[in-house]
Amino acid sequence: MTTRTDLGPELRGLLDKALDYADDACLAQLHGLLVCLSEGADLVDYSCDVPDGLQEKPVFKRMLLSRNLLNEVPRGCA
């Protein structure tokens, strides 16, 4: 069973990744999600639509990286 002390370092690492890759709007959205989760909400899915061929544009690339970060399965969990 995963405990709070096991998840602390991993969560800090994910937040550090978010600071590296996300812009202010994504960080604000992440903050909102974390607040909701801390109040007992369940995160079912996080998705975004990126038009074909625009994945390398900076704004869409940040959206995809944010989506991947939010949907990433924590290490050791399946």
Side-chain angles (χ1 to χ4, degrees):
M1 174 177 268
T2 304
T3 65
R4 184 178 181 160
T5 55
D6 295 334
L7 292 176
E10 187 166 341
L11 180 57
R12 282 186 206 84
L14 290 171
L15 290 173
D16 286 342
K17 284 171 74 175
L19 289 172
D20 290 340
Y21 293 118
D23 60 9
D24 289 342
C26 287
L27 289 174
Q29 189 172 15
L30 177 59
H31 178 263
L33 288 170
L34 291 173
V35 168
C36 290
L37 290 171
S38 73
E39 294 173 351
D42 289 328
L43 178 61
V44 176
D45 183 35
Y46 177 84
S47 61
C48 58
D49 293 323
V50 176
D52 289 338
L54 297 180
Q55 296 88 344
E56 293 303 315
K57 297 286 185 184
V59 67
F60 293 120
K61 192 169 187 173
R62 283 194 303 269
M63 286 173 60
L64 291 171
L65 288 168
S66 298
R67 182 199 63 201
N68 294 344
L69 177 66
L70 291 170
N71 288 327
E72 184 176 291
V73 176
R75 284 171 280 151
C77 299

